[in-house]
Every structure is written in structure tokens, then in C-alpha cells.
Amino acid sequence: MSNRAPSNILDRPLGGRGRGNSNTTETFVSQSMFAYLYSELVQYHQSRVSSISELERRLESSGYGVGLKVLELLSYRARESKRETRLMNILQFVSANVWKSLFGKPADSLERSIDHADEFMIVDYEPLTSTYVSVPSDLGQLSVDAFLSGIIAGVLDGAGFSARVTAHSVTLEDGERGSASGGGGGGSNNGGFAHQHTGGASSLPLRKDKAVFLVKFNPEVLKRDSSLDR
């Protein structure tokens, strides 16, 4: 079986975190390149909004189009002639197939809300969108992972599972798995947002939080899924 890297950069996932082989730079898109471009995207939208919520909506909107394209691409590659009809299956597709296509690994967990049947959570301990971006203190409530929530919403909407997806930063509990990389630390500051240099996992402090993407499905989606159980 060939281990050659994909010749097309669009076929490569971002990052390569946790991999020590010498082929990492050949098989993954550069983290530094993505970190710089994403920092510029955040700053671009920041200069055109007047509130944190509006900035998050713009980041979500930017990710939404990516989600639609990712769904189209993965469906084409899999030669799927039938679209997914079950709710749990599409969530597993997002947390496994979509995440692996984008980041080279599945999401860390997929959980269902105990209190609300229409809510699910996709958890990532090392979201690239916030790992190398330092949020200024005056925008402390901003979730720069909103771009990823937009990607999730785009995939779900494109597949016929309308949902509201929001990104949340949740503090890690004692003993909970953390990451060898994290936001904060030195970097170049442009327009308030610091792009963190990506010289290696050891150059960044441990993350103290994780990204939780809350997926709340529209009532008609739950109703349709329940009818398939009959």
C-alpha cells in the first residue's frame, strides 16, 4: 500500500498534531499557514463589526460555505447516491468523517444532552481555530471557534438536518484530557489579535479549556427522525 502524500493540497487535512514522522509536512497543510490566514480572517471581520455576537455570526457565515463544500466533496468521493436520513448517522459523519478530512483525526467525542433531546455536543480538545489565536481582553467572551460551528451547520443543512450550532469554550475538569498545545504565549499582534508562532507543541502552554460545539436541531428534524423508528 502506498504511503505517498496526496499530490493535491486540497486533499490534505490541516495540522498533523501528535505525529512525529518526517512526512508530516508532506501529508498535512501547514499549521502556521492556517494560523496566519485564520488570524487575518478574524481581524478582517473584527474591523467591520460593532459587537462580539456580530463577529461570531460573521465567522459562522464564513465557515458555513466551507461546510457545504466539504459535504459535497466527501459525498462525491464516497460515490454516495443516497443521502443520510438518520440523525445519529449524520452526527457521526460530522464528528468522524468531516473532522478527519479537515484535521486528520476524528473529534474527541460526540455526546447527547441528558436534559434536551434535540441537543448534541461535539467536543474537540485541540481546535486549531483557537489554538494559535490569542483573544484580546476586551473581547474575552468571543469564541473564535465559531468558524467551526459554521462548518458543522453547513454540513448539516446541506444534508437536510437544519440545526443551530454554537461554539463554547469549557474549562477542563481535573484529570480531564488536555492538549500539549494551547493558546496564549508569544506572537505577533495585529489589530488586537495575536497570531501565535507554531514552533512545536512544547513551545505553547497546556490548554485549560476545550471546544464544545452545541448542535440544537429544529423540531421538524426530530419529528422526522422519530417517524423512521416506527
Side-chain angles (χ1 to χ4, degrees):
M1 183 176 179
S2 175
N3 292 321
R4 292 180 61 187
S7 59
N8 189 337
I9 193 171
L10 297 178
D11 292 328
R12 305 177 192 177
L14 291 167
R17 295 163 291 169
R19 295 166 175 79
N21 64 71
S22 60
N23 294 324
T24 295
T25 56
E26 298 177 2
T27 56
F28 293 87
V29 174
S30 166
Q31 283 190 14
S32 295
M33 180 177 68
F34 172 77
Y36 174 75
L37 291 175
Y38 188 64
S39 177
E40 290 295 309
L41 175 68
V42 175
Q43 292 175 57
Y44 172 83
H45 288 307
Q46 182 200 12
S47 65
R48 289 161 174 78
V49 301
S50 57
S51 67
I52 294 176
S53 60
E54 188 178 356
L55 176 53
E56 289 180 340
R57 283 196 297 271
R58 281 177 170 258
L59 292 175
E60 289 173 0
S61 179
S62 296
Y64 185 87
V66 175
L68 291 175
K69 293 298 184 181
V70 168
L71 173 64
E72 181 181 354
L73 177 61
L74 294 182
S75 298
Y76 173 77
R77 285 177 176 170
R79 298 295 193 270
E80 292 289 347
S81 58
K82 298 180 181 179
R83 74 176 182 86
E84 186 55 66
T85 59
R86 299 311 306 264
L87 188 147
M88 282 306 302
N89 289 349
I90 194 64
L91 283 171
Q92 289 167 355
F93 172 78
V94 172
S95 62
N97 300 51
V98 171
W99 235 252
K100 191 170 183 179
S101 173
L102 293 175
F103 309 115
K105 71 176 187 68
D108 291 294
S109 69
L110 170 62
E111 305 169 12
R112 184 165 193 164
S113 171
I114 298 175
D115 302 320
H116 305 283
D118 60 345
E119 292 184 354
F120 296 80
M121 290 160 284
I122 297 173
V123 179
D124 192 332
Y125 288 103
E126 302 175 286
L128 281 179
T129 43
S130 57
T131 296
Y132 301 112
V133 174
S134 180
V135 180
S137 58
D138 60 325
L139 295 175
Q141 299 302 312
L142 170 68
S143 174
V144 289
D145 293 319
F147 180 76
L148 297 186
S149 63
I151 292 179
I152 298 171
V155 173
L156 293 176
D157 278 0
F161 294 82
S162 299
R164 175 75 177 106
V165 186
T166 52
H168 305 271
S169 179
V170 178
T171 301
L172 291 170
E173 298 178 358
D174 291 340
E176 189 173 6
R177 179 195 162 194
S179 164
S181 62
S188 59
N189 197 317
N190 236 343
F193 284 87
H195 160 223
Q196 307 299 329
H197 296 298
T198 56
S202 60
S203 66
L204 295 170
L206 292 173
R207 287 188 69 111
K208 298 180 180 179
D209 57 0
K210 60 186 177 184
V212 176
F213 301 96
L214 179 63
V215 181
K216 185 178 181 64
F217 287 101
N218 290 353
E220 58 268 22
V221 174
L222 273 294
K223 184 177 180 180
R224 183 185 68 205
D225 193 67
S226 297
S227 67
L228 296 175
D229 291 326
R230 297 171 187 171

